[in-house]
Amino acid sequence: MVVILKENPEEKQLQNLMNWLSAQGLEINVCKGQHQTILGLIGDTAGVDIELIKALDIVDEVKRVQEPYKNANRKFHPDDTVVEVGGVKIGGGNFQLIAGPCSVESEEQVCGIAEAVKAAGAGLLRGGAFKPRTSPYAFQGLRGDGITLLLEARERTGLPIVTEIMDISQLPLFEEVDVIQVGARNMQNFELLKALGHVEKPILLKRGLANTLQELLMSAEYIMAGGNSNVILCERGIRTFETATRNTLDLSAVPVLKSRSHLPVIVDPSHGTGHRELVAPMALAAAAAGADGLIIEVHNDPAHALCDGPQSLTPEQFANLAARIKAVRAAALGGEL
Ligand code: PEP
Ligand code: MN
């Protein structure tokens, strides 16, 4: 349930209302927007007398929220959430390119790519240290050493780093990481999500291979229920019967998620397509659809990449794409940029 207050509510009356709601065992999420304040109520509101609340001087409107996600719901927080990390903003009109290799392979590799993507306009560096691989015989990532190399690349370029966590036990190694990624395979690792609710860093939450958008929002809710509201949602393609692409990139996820939630939404056209030549068209389409950012795999030598070479762009291809994305955004947003 949400209680929408009139402008400048009288403080004493507001306090009385909040005390009364708390006394009924409800958790209150206060959202002060530009024009209105909203009290988002979490808990069993079945017995709450709506008419009684509506009759109060300070109350404009009261609405029931049917969706099971509350903190992530736009009804609880009408303004876009802007996630800020290392001087970079995502959401609320702030668009970011996150680029870098699928896997961190060496200092030379990750630092070289970091410098190249920064020069092309990337705002954040991605790179996998812990890799979820289908085969146990495939390269599993440099693990802790990979994180050390990402920190080195950040030191050199100033780009905040994004890297994936696969298990709660790895959390101590992520102390210096700027954005923690939860990959598709862990989207419903609820214990991990709960632990990340107590972390103060932004979490990049990828949609599971076979999950609905409501399930993605419920996973965001797990993180937010723990007190961490810095969640970035990521559409990265889902499993369908189609085999021409690695996954089917569901671009309708962008407007759907943005209408249902206030969280920033980004798109991963690399994992979404699996093919280098498909990355640019889908990246441009995602930008036109209103995504708040893109996460794109870039490798200096894709043919010899230890992971996901076929879907990685070269730094030159990335630079070319970055310029086109700018043009598409400007056109799609009616020249607002
Ligand atoms: C990745 O970003 O490197 C990755 C493994 O992505 P996903 O979880 O979307 O497969
Ligand atoms: Mn990859």
Side-chain angles (χ1 to χ4, degrees), residues 102 126 131-132 164 181 183-185 206 236 268 271 297:
C102 177
R126 66 147 287 149
K131 293 304 305 174
E164 178 170 351
Q181 174 174 320
R185 290 149 192 86
K206 291 186 130 189
R236 48 78 71 206
D268 175 347
H271 294 90
E297 289 186 339

Side-chain angles (χ1 to χ4, degrees), residues 251-277:
L251 282 185
S252 55
V254 176
V256 171
L257 289 171
K258 287 182 72 79
S259 69
R260 296 191 182 173
S261 176
H262 51 89
L263 296 172
V265 179
I266 69 166
V267 171
D268 175 347
S270 307
H271 294 90
T273 63
H275 298 276
R276 183 176 309 117
E277 65 278 14

